[in-house]
Amino acid sequence: MDKLLIRGGNPLTGTVTISGSKNSALPILAASILSEASLRIANVPHLNDVTTMIELLGTIGLDVTVEENMTLDVSTRDILNLRAPYNLVKTMRASFLVLGPLLALHGHAEVSLPGGCAIGPRPVDQHLKGLSALGADIRVEEGYVVADAKRGLIGTTIAMDVVTVGGTQNLMMAATLARGETTIYNAACEPEVTELAACLKAMGAQIEGAGTDTIRIDGVSSLQGAEFRITPDRVETATYMIAAAATRGQLLLKNTCPDQIKAVTAKLQESGVSITLGEDWIKLDAGVHDLTAVDIFTEPYPGFPTDMQAQYVALNAVSEGTSRVTETIFENRFMHVHELVRLGADISFEGNTTAIVKGVPRLKGAPVMATDLRASFSLVIGGMVADGETLIDRIYHIDRGYECIEEKLQSVGADVHRLSSR
Ligand code: UD1
């Protein structure tokens, strides 16, 4: 298993070019199932999660051609296997997004119950409840969701009980080919839902309201091919901003999406970081003021994202003062805390959902273990600000979601190296 060796102490300085968004690319790849014509997707990030989705589409019977600069061309072959197997779905929860498209176009799907990051129980009840409301017959057999809609799905009204990004995406995709109109209330407003809707519309779907909590979809009989460009990754952007702040660095982030990370930008400014925003760039200087710890409360978009909580805990751990970090989206999403404590951070818990972070002047390098995708980067941040060496084990979690991590970090001055076990 690969490890990352980090020698701390270098401020991040220079320019980082942001990759395409993983969380936009995955549902859009799943959407390619909805059309027999070809979907060309540009600016796809080169990541293990994307490879898993490509493999899954191949298993189902789609042809995926990888062209220059990670432009993917996805088209359907004749024979389809309507089963998404356990070995692929277990490594990545987003694989579950093939359920809605397969069911909508082919009237049958068998999709393993998902796995993914170990961040608490992550049910799919809302996906299944919505598909049932659209007229599907759904049962769970030997760990697989088996869904049938032999005469097609039928538009309906769905009120989601919780705000779920994946649930909204799965149902929105399914409803594009349902007969009649579907309204999804309490829909997720995340940019990844809006992006998916934009791609589906380019394929001929009739969708209104994506980006608000009420989405209306007027079903069409078929979708066509299209070309679509994936937006920059807002989580990668915010992660590098927080990392630069923690190391008291100065970064220019290029090809990014300042509008999608306003909650994080506001928190960083509250911490004392100087930030200048352009249309598609962000300039950040963390060396102007002393940094103070700030309270964080994760919320659905446009609130502070759960995917940036772990990284901010690492920043607060080396900022002045005490902060409360409250996680409201996922249970058990504080596993990075135990590892940061190994580096000398002073963090305790109040109940299961709030971490109390007391800033310390320095961390000290130690061996630590990555536990999930975003948590892994908080350890990278910890390692970059710690004195001495930090060795991070199980970095396959990081490779799921951060493109060229060591190259990007090295290019802005970090002393980070991959120790490959191969
Ligand atoms: C997506 C993102 C992930 C991010 C999360 C929240 C992708 C590939 N992943 O994950 O990075 O952390 O949004 O912004 O885009 N829930 C239910 N029942 C369901 C579905 C979800 O109770 O049927 C709950 C979950 O347990 C969780 C909350 O809803 O507590 C939000 O989950 P959801 O928005 O579905 O997350 P994902 O789409 O899996």
Side-chain angles (χ1 to χ4, degrees):
M1 244 183 275
D2 289 5
K3 297 179 182 169
L4 272 190
L5 178 65
I6 304 177
R7 290 185 193 88
N10 299 356
L12 297 187
T13 310
T15 303
V16 174
T17 303
I18 298 302
S19 302
S21 161
K22 168 181 93 71
N23 286 356
S24 280
L26 296 175
I28 285 170
L29 279 163
S32 65
I33 295 172
L34 285 165
S35 165
E36 281 165 7
S38 116
L39 180 63
R40 276 175 67 79
I41 316 168
N43 200 32
V44 178
H46 195 295
L47 296 169
N48 285 355
D49 272 8
V50 168
T51 311
T52 303
M53 186 58 98
I54 292 174
E55 205 181 325
L56 177 56
L57 294 179
T59 305
I60 290 169
L62 284 85
D63 278 324
V64 183
T65 313
V66 182
E67 298 170 9
E68 248 174 78
N69 296 329
M70 280 302 280
T71 293
L72 303 186
D73 190 292
V74 191
S75 53
T76 307
R77 271 185 256 141
D78 293 340
I79 305 161
L80 278 166
N81 162 32
L82 302 176
R83 188 173 167 91
Y86 175 64
N87 65 321
L88 291 175
V89 184
K90 75 169 187 213
T91 58
M92 184 184 75
R93 184 180 161 83
S95 316
F96 201 69
L97 294 174
V98 301
L99 177 61
L102 282 178
L103 186 62
L105 187 63
H106 302 285
H108 180 78
E110 298 175 16
V111 180
S112 170
L113 285 165
C117 278
I119 46 176
R122 294 175 77 177
V124 287
D125 58 306
Q126 297 302 308
H127 302 233
L128 303 186
K129 192 176 154 192
L131 291 173
S132 295
L134 286 163
D137 171 34
I138 295 189
R139 52 203 189 279
V140 176
E141 287 175 5
E142 294 166 4
Y144 279 73
V145 172
V146 180
D148 282 295
K150 292 280 183 281
R151 280 189 240 133
L153 297 170
I154 300 156
T156 188
T157 298
I158 301 167
M160 312 288 279
D161 300 321
V162 291
V163 177
T164 148
V165 178
T168 303
Q169 291 168 330
N170 227 340
L171 299 178
M172 187 167 73
M173 287 191 280
T176 57
L177 294 181
R179 278 199 304 284
E181 192 176 289
T182 299
T183 306
I184 305 176
Y185 290 110
N186 201 22
C189 304
E190 267 67 4
E192 295 76 22
V193 172
T194 316
E195 284 279 305
L196 173 63
C199 179
L200 292 168
K201 282 162 88 167
M203 294 165 75
Q206 302 281 327
I207 302 174
E208 271 175 35
T212 75
D213 62 5
T214 305
I215 303 179
R216 288 204 169 73
I217 305 126
D218 204 359
V220 294
S221 56
S222 66
L223 294 179
Q224 305 108 47
E227 294 194 6
F228 196 78
R229 186 175 174 82
I230 301 293
T231 193
D233 195 314
R234 66 187 175 110
V235 186
E236 190 194 26
T237 304
T239 299
Y240 279 99
M241 289 172 79
I242 298 168
T247 62
R248 308 308 193 252
Q250 291 176 317
L251 272 194
L252 171 65
L253 300 159
K254 285 201 320 197
N255 289 0
T256 188
C257 46
D259 283 356
Q260 294 183 1
I261 52 162
K262 286 181 181 158
V264 181
T265 304
K267 278 290 161 191
L268 284 167
Q269 285 169 326
E270 197 183 321
S271 284
V273 180
S274 294
I275 298 176
T276 317
L277 302 176
E279 203 176 312
D280 66 349
W281 55 264
I282 299 170
K283 216 164 154 182
L284 169 152
D285 188 346
V288 183
H289 309 287
D290 288 340
L291 297 193
T292 46
V294 295
D295 292 342
I296 299 286
F297 191 86
T298 65
E299 285 175 304
Y301 191 82
F304 190 96
T306 174
D307 281 356
M308 296 156 204
Q309 175 259 107
Q311 301 89 317
Y312 224 106
V313 168
L315 169 59
N316 275 344
V318 291
S319 299
E320 221 174 283
T322 299
S323 59
R324 297 167 62 83
V325 178
T326 305
E327 172 60 55
T328 71
I329 308 293
F330 290 112
E331 293 168 41
N332 200 20
R333 202 173 194 179
F334 275 127
M335 285 177 296
H336 46 285
V337 163
H338 308 290
E339 302 301 305
L340 288 170
V341 167
R342 289 175 54 74
L343 297 175
D346 183 351
I347 310 174
S348 56
F349 288 105
E350 198 180 274
N352 294 329
T353 54
T354 302
I356 311 291
V357 188
K358 288 190 183 148
V360 294
R362 312 208 67 80
L363 297 180
K364 176 125 184 46
V368 288
M369 194 163 64
T371 50
D372 72 57
L373 168 54
R374 306 304 172 188
S376 321
F377 212 109
S378 74
L379 305 181
V380 173
I381 295 174
M384 290 191 302
V385 299
D387 295 333
E389 285 187 358
T390 295
L391 188 63
I392 308 180
D393 201 353
R394 301 204 177 166
I395 58 156
Y396 57 86
H397 288 293
I398 301 188
D399 294 330
R400 287 186 47 203
Y402 289 99
E403 192 174 51
C404 302
I405 175 175
E406 65 269 34
E407 289 85 349
K408 283 194 182 185
L409 286 172
Q410 282 162 7
S411 76
V412 288
D415 190 344
V416 176
H417 294 276
R418 181 177 295 256
L419 306 185
S420 188
S421 54
R422 268 166 265 146

